[in-house]
Amino acid sequence: MNVHTVIFEESPHNFYPLALTRPVWSMRFGCFEFHERIAKQVAAQGLEAPLLLTGTRLSSYARDLYGDRVITALPDGDLLCVNALATELPALDRTRSQVFTAGNRIVCALILSADRSALRQRESSLDFTGLPVQEIP
């Protein structure tokens, strides 16, 4: 199964004023940017390099720095949507759609193409309401 991995921003307003000038996934935490940490975990699970979801306001800036990996609309097909602030990805059951949370934060969501109608995009954020949720420790 070909799964497109997409890094999204759950709450960019929590990073104002920095989020006015750059996507949250491009912010540096220690030695690495958030998206670089996630890319390593995604590769360890045998998935393709992640796409970087951004709002239209920052798309030109982001494309100048990150090229064709930057998207403003979700691609067709199965998706693994990863929160830009995720620290660790859970083991995935790739046979069903599921949303993984830790506390009140969405960590990631595997959305099969059959369930795509439940997924809503709001600029660089995603709404997973109506999809099954699994809490991870």
Side-chain angles (χ1 to χ4, degrees):
M1 163 174 58
N2 186 24
V3 177
H4 299 286
T5 304
V6 176
I7 299 175
F8 70 95
E9 302 174 311
E10 182 181 16
S11 303
H13 60 275
N14 289 339
F15 290 89
Y16 283 165
L18 294 174
L20 293 172
T21 60
R22 70 190 70 250
V24 172
W25 46 256
S26 73
M27 293 180 191
R28 188 168 297 281
F29 181 73
C31 295
F32 300 100
E33 295 177 359
F34 286 118
H35 73 93
E36 293 171 324
R37 293 176 186 274
I38 293 168
K40 288 179 183 181
Q41 293 182 53
V42 166
Q45 293 204 20
L47 298 169
E48 64 185 43
L51 299 170
L52 306 168
L53 182 64
T54 191
T56 53
R57 182 176 54 80
L58 295 174
S59 62
S60 293
Y61 164 81
R63 279 198 182 103
D64 286 347
L65 293 176
Y66 303 100
D68 292 340
R69 293 179 42 217
V70 175
I71 58 172
T72 55
L74 295 172
D76 292 332
D78 298 342
L79 297 174
L80 173 60
C81 303
V82 182
N83 187 332
L85 303 179
T87 55
E88 190 171 334
L89 296 181
L92 300 172
D93 171 6
R94 297 186 192 181
T95 62
R96 63 187 179 95
S97 294
Q98 52 199 325
V99 178
F100 294 93
T101 61
N104 62 352
R105 171 160 287 147
I106 293 171
V107 175
C108 68
L110 178 64
I111 312 298
L112 302 181
S113 54
D115 298 320
R116 286 289 298 269
S117 61
L119 179 62
R120 302 280 183 260
Q121 179 180 347
R122 294 188 178 95
E123 283 289 317
S124 60
S125 297
L126 301 173
D127 180 359
F128 303 101
T129 305
L131 293 164
V133 176
Q134 180 178 341
E135 179 76 15
I136 56 176

